[in-house]
Amino acid sequence: MNISARPPLSATVAMLQSARLPTEDLTAEHCERFFFSGPAAAPTGIVGLEVYGDVALLRSLVVAPARRGSGEGSALLRHAEQQARASGVRTLYLLTTTAEKFLAKHGYDHAPRDAAPAAIRGTREFAGICPASSAFMKRELV
């Protein structure tokens, strides 16, 4: 499976909206650190990173319903982790309402929200877009 960088904003927004994931803050600049599988015009999977020094927010991991269970989500996650490591990220954080079990299988642990680094607390996702009921998780990459 090929994973490419910089999906078109319109295709990214469409896929995330179909999965009921937040899109209101996405810009073309965000897509510079997003990755996708499938054709650019109609990706079958998306994942993104927001890098803040040695920490990053993993966001928008989604796979088209017909492709779930194919390993595509795992491949996208591994790719994002590799890209984060290459950028000097030591810890990945995320918020989720739907993928706790999947992410736990990949080494992500629950973390207390009040222990989030300032850079992560300052993201729009953490500060208000994602509901307070979202699971806050992290994974050390070192």
Side-chain angles (χ1 to χ4, degrees), residues 8 15 21-23 27 37 43 57 81 85 87 99 111 117-118 124 126 134:
M15 182 158 200
L21 292 176
T23 61
T27 65
S37 51
L57 184 68
E81 291 170 348
R85 277 188 199 94
S87 297
R124 288 191 60 199
F126 189 94
S134 298

Side-chain angles (χ1 to χ4, degrees), residues 99-142:
E100 277 181 79
K101 289 180 184 177
F102 172 81
L103 292 158
K105 288 179 188 176
H106 290 278
Y108 288 80
D109 297 309
H110 287 91
R113 287 176 78 104
D114 60 359
I120 300 300
R121 284 194 316 270
T123 64
R124 288 191 60 199
E125 293 77 20
F126 189 94
I129 292 175
C130 291
S133 60
S134 298
F136 182 59
M137 302 178 81
K138 74 175 191 173
R139 179 165 186 224
E140 301 295 331
L141 297 179
V142 291

